Amino acid sequence: MERLLVNFKSNLGTINNDIQALQSDSLSMSQKLKNRVVTEKQLSRILQGVVVPPDAVRTICDGEVNEKYLDCLVEVNKKIAYMRVHGKQHKRLRAFQEIQPELDLLRLRASAKIREYLLDKINGLRSLSTNVQILQNSIFLKYRFFNHFLIERHPEAAVEVRDSYIHIMRQYYLDHFETYQRGLMKLERVIADKSDVIGLEESTTKLSLFGSNKTVARDKNNVFNLGTRASILDTTDVRAIALSIATDSNAKYPFEELFRSYNLALVDNATTEYEFIMQFFVSPKA
């Protein structure tokens, strides 16, 4: 019995040592697992920040500029932004050293394609028949990120796009408003002319187109009376005169209403253009 108990005690000691060894190994494995999880999270965050999907690279380099191109550009821009923020912190990592030149090439390639696309769309605004507001909403504002990308990543191209837009739109609005002004003047209802001056006889003669005398009778007492014409300037109607409708109906308007219509068109276009400029040419990060 004594030998049996001594052997049992010895076995218990061996089992105890084995349990302690297993416990030590378990603690070591648990710590290694925690370290691996932390490392994987950090590495995964870094890889997600710098690795560009192959499909995005192919689209940026050779793809057509459309909605898919926009999505890929947003993805590439995130990688560039991540490198700008964390590049110095992880500059010793080989992945950062290898990806930086590739991102620069993608940035330049994307900038070149976007510049060409925007300049082509801007040149399409030259035609007087072009509805600028429709193009602004359906093309330029839809792809406003393209210009924001140029502003942040390639300022020289962004300046070229901006100057081209200013040059073309300046001529566009000048031509349209000159045409609108000439059209409005054809709708003027003449209230008085240079022959209606103080001291002139009630009836005076004017030469017609073919040189014959033409008698013009004026009511000198009321010709310079504003009447209700002054109230036109205070009306709350925000609609400007449509030349096509007024011409078809042979409508005539006093000069005050033509003046008001011209200024309404000017204010409306200036307001719309300002809103567009603030959305398209001003980067949210500026």
Side-chain angles (χ1 to χ4, degrees):
M1 290 296 295
E2 181 179 1
R3 285 195 302 270
L4 181 62
L5 291 174
V6 170
N7 291 334
F8 183 71
K9 180 179 179 181
S10 177
N11 292 335
L12 286 177
T14 302
I15 294 173
N16 182 55
N17 291 334
D18 293 340
I19 292 174
Q20 290 181 354
L22 290 174
Q23 186 177 13
S24 177
D25 292 341
S26 177
L27 291 175
S28 177
M29 293 175 63
S30 177
Q31 186 62 41
K32 290 180 180 178
L33 179 61
K34 289 180 180 179
N35 293 338
R36 174 173 291 184
V37 170
V38 172
T39 302
E40 286 182 351
K41 287 183 178 179
Q42 294 179 351
L43 183 59
S44 175
R45 192 182 305 116
I46 292 175
L47 291 177
Q48 290 177 359
V50 299
V51 175
V52 182
D55 182 62
V57 175
R58 287 191 294 269
T59 301
I60 292 296
C61 293
D62 304 319
E64 182 181 355
V65 179
N66 49 26
E67 293 185 10
K68 181 181 179 181
Y69 196 94
L70 175 62
D71 295 337
C72 294
L73 185 67
V74 171
E75 184 69 21
V76 170
N77 189 59
K78 290 180 180 178
K79 311 301 181 183
I80 296 175
Y82 185 88
M83 289 292 296
R84 292 283 178 89
V85 175
H86 302 282
K88 294 182 179 180
Q89 180 182 355
H90 304 294
K91 62 181 180 180
R92 295 184 179 180
L93 293 179
R94 185 174 179 180
F96 275 73
Q97 297 173 1
E98 293 180 352
I99 197 64
Q100 184 62 57
E102 303 301 326
L103 284 178
D104 287 337
L105 292 176
L106 281 177
R107 176 182 63 84
L108 294 175
R109 178 59 178 168
S111 299
K113 296 199 69 172
I114 292 171
R115 169 190 168 277
E116 181 181 357
Y117 175 81
L118 292 179
L119 289 178
D120 179 65
K121 296 301 180 182
I122 290 173
N123 286 330
L125 301 175
R126 293 180 181 273
S127 175
L128 287 177
S129 60
T130 302
N131 191 319
V132 170
Q133 293 185 5
I134 291 180
L135 283 180
Q136 286 177 341
N137 292 322
S138 62
I139 299 295
F140 293 101
L141 291 183
K142 180 180 179 180
Y143 297 117
R144 74 189 73 175
F145 183 77
F146 288 163
N147 197 53
H148 296 169
F149 179 86
L150 291 182
I151 293 173
E152 296 177 23
R153 309 303 178 193
H154 204 302
E156 296 82 3
V159 170
E160 183 180 359
V161 170
R162 183 198 63 191
D163 291 345
S164 177
Y165 180 84
I166 292 174
H167 174 73
I168 291 177
M169 291 305 294
R170 177 176 56 189
Q171 191 62 43
Y172 173 87
Y173 280 116
L174 179 62
D175 293 341
H176 271 73
F177 274 96
E178 285 182 346
T179 302
Y180 188 64
Q181 181 186 10
R182 290 193 297 268
L184 286 178
M185 297 312 296
K186 293 179 181 179
L187 303 176
E188 182 182 5
R189 183 173 68 241
V190 178
I191 307 297
D193 58 24
K194 62 182 179 180
S195 64
D196 298 305
V197 295
I198 298 176
L200 198 66
E201 296 180 0
E202 294 296 326
S203 178
T204 186
T205 58
K206 296 174 62 177
L207 292 178
S208 69
L209 179 63
F210 300 101
S212 61
N213 293 335
K214 182 179 179 182
T215 302
V216 179
R218 297 287 190 185
D219 183 1
K220 299 299 182 180
N221 295 326
N222 297 318
V223 71
F224 291 109
N225 186 12
L226 284 177
T228 59
R229 288 184 289 134
S231 62
I232 295 174
L233 303 179
D234 298 326
T235 184
T236 57
D237 188 3
V238 296
R239 293 172 298 178
I241 297 174
L243 291 181
S244 58
I245 297 176
T247 302
D248 293 341
S249 61
N250 294 322
K252 297 294 181 180
Y253 303 91
F255 182 80
E256 291 80 6
E257 190 160 351
L258 301 180
F259 176 80
R260 177 180 178 276
S261 180
Y262 185 87
N263 281 277
L264 279 176
L266 180 63
V267 171
D268 181 65
N269 280 273
T271 303
T272 303
E273 192 65 25
Y274 174 79
E275 291 179 352
F276 169 76
I277 289 173
M278 293 302 296
Q279 295 180 62
F280 186 76
F281 287 102
V282 178
S283 174
K285 298 181 181 180

